[in-house]
Amino acid sequence: MLSCIIIDDEQHAIDLLKSYIEKVSFLELKGTYNNPLNAITATDVDIIFIDMHMPQLSGMDFIKLMKGKARIIITSAFKEYALESFEYEVLDYLLKPISFDRFLKAVQKAMNQLTFAEEDNQTKQTKNYIVVKTDAKNKLQKIELDEIVYIEGMKNYVTIHKEQQQVMTLLNMKDLDNDLPKDQFIRVHKSYIISIDKIKIIEGNQIFLKNVKESIPLSETYRQAFFDLLKQTIIGNKKPI
């Protein structure tokens, strides 16, 4: 089931989308808004249908504020925003008047995307190793996830710190961060990813890991996400310390 909201200053446009949503079994309407300012705090949904021309705050400005927090489907009578909107990774752009067939195609795309993301996440959760490239000769090395203590990003390479060994790889931090399961590893600094199970002590903005003498810095950019994940981990009876 995909939850959604509608943001449009024209009631007839809202009524049309509501009638379409009622016909689709995997959609659940959570609310409608004539003013986008009232919808800013109501975005914990899977899809946002939003018009472009609205008073007080344009649809494009709203999308910029969202910063990718929800899948956006634009509903507009104007074509000129299409190119700019896709720079913000909107899911689809529906031109008014919107047919049901075109609407259905857009929401099916959202469902497929969500299903793929869930399957990809499940794959990451069950995989217990990664394979990394370790030199220019395309040498590949398999590394068990439970052996990793932390990962350190350097200028031109990344070092994976295991309990008894260091492995230099030609991957970058972003690739590794995407490939590692989110319930086991978390990025705490632009240059560091740590194993949650290896956390020993947290003091201010310093993290101390088991069997590691030097502390790992916790930057302000990743601080909130780090503590949010720790709370979830402790609640799930998987306390890392």
Side-chain angles (χ1 to χ4, degrees), residues 132-219:
V132 298
K133 183 178 178 182
T134 58
D135 61 28
K137 297 179 180 179
N138 294 321
K139 180 181 177 182
L140 299 177
Q141 181 171 342
K142 179 180 177 182
I143 299 177
E144 301 292 335
L145 295 182
D146 59 7
E147 294 180 347
I148 300 174
V149 180
Y150 68 97
I151 297 168
E152 182 180 9
M154 314 298 283
K155 284 187 177 181
N156 300 315
Y157 58 90
V158 169
T159 299
I160 298 176
H161 294 261
K162 301 168 60 178
E163 294 180 356
Q164 304 295 333
Q165 180 188 12
Q166 295 181 7
V167 179
M168 288 194 300
T169 82
L170 300 180
L171 295 175
N172 57 48
M173 291 290 283
K174 182 178 179 181
D175 290 338
L176 277 171
D177 194 19
N178 290 335
D179 199 38
L180 292 167
K182 300 304 180 186
D183 64 336
Q184 297 179 51
F185 295 88
I186 185 167
R187 194 163 186 174
V188 296
H189 187 276
K190 67 178 182 179
S191 300
Y192 292 96
I193 297 170
I194 66 171
S195 167
I196 299 171
D197 286 340
K198 303 299 191 297
I199 296 174
K200 183 179 180 182
I201 300 172
I202 303 167
E203 291 185 358
N205 292 328
Q206 299 296 317
I207 302 170
F208 293 86
L209 304 176
K210 297 174 183 177
N211 300 318
V212 178
K213 292 182 179 180
E214 297 181 356
S215 64
I216 303 295
L218 173 61
S219 75

Side-chain angles (χ1 to χ4, degrees), residues 39-171:
I40 290 178
T41 58
T43 55
D44 186 20
V45 291
D46 297 307
I47 304 174
I48 298 175
F49 298 97
I50 186 167
D51 187 26
M52 287 287 96
H53 278 196
M54 288 181 290
Q56 297 185 311
L57 184 69
S58 71
M60 187 59 66
D61 288 336
F62 182 90
I63 291 170
K64 292 175 182 178
L65 288 173
M66 286 301 95
K67 297 180 180 178
K69 294 179 182 177
R71 295 167 180 82
I72 302 291
I73 296 179
I74 292 174
T75 59
S76 176
F78 303 92
K79 296 180 179 180
E80 60 262 32
Y81 300 99
L83 184 60
E84 182 183 1
S85 68
F86 283 106
E87 293 179 4
Y88 294 92
E89 299 182 351
V90 301
L91 187 65
D92 212 333
Y93 197 106
L94 303 182
L95 279 174
K96 298 178 179 178
I98 302 167
S99 69
F100 178 69
D101 287 346
R102 184 65 184 85
F103 171 87
L104 186 59
K105 182 178 179 180
V107 296
Q108 186 62 60
K109 185 189 299 183
M111 174 57 83
N112 292 342
Q113 189 180 92
L114 181 64
T115 301
F116 176 81
E118 289 178 346
E119 290 176 349
D120 183 56
N121 186 56
Q122 289 174 1
T123 298
K124 289 179 181 179
Q125 302 302 328
T126 57
K127 190 173 69 171
N128 59 4
Y129 66 90
I130 56 173
V131 177
V132 298
K133 183 178 178 182
T134 58
D135 61 28
K137 297 179 180 179
N138 294 321
K139 180 181 177 182
L140 299 177
Q141 181 171 342
K142 179 180 177 182
I143 299 177
E144 301 292 335
L145 295 182
D146 59 7
E147 294 180 347
I148 300 174
V149 180
Y150 68 97
I151 297 168
E152 182 180 9
M154 314 298 283
K155 284 187 177 181
N156 300 315
Y157 58 90
V158 169
T159 299
I160 298 176
H161 294 261
K162 301 168 60 178
E163 294 180 356
Q164 304 295 333
Q165 180 188 12
Q166 295 181 7
V167 179
M168 288 194 300
T169 82
L170 300 180
L171 295 175

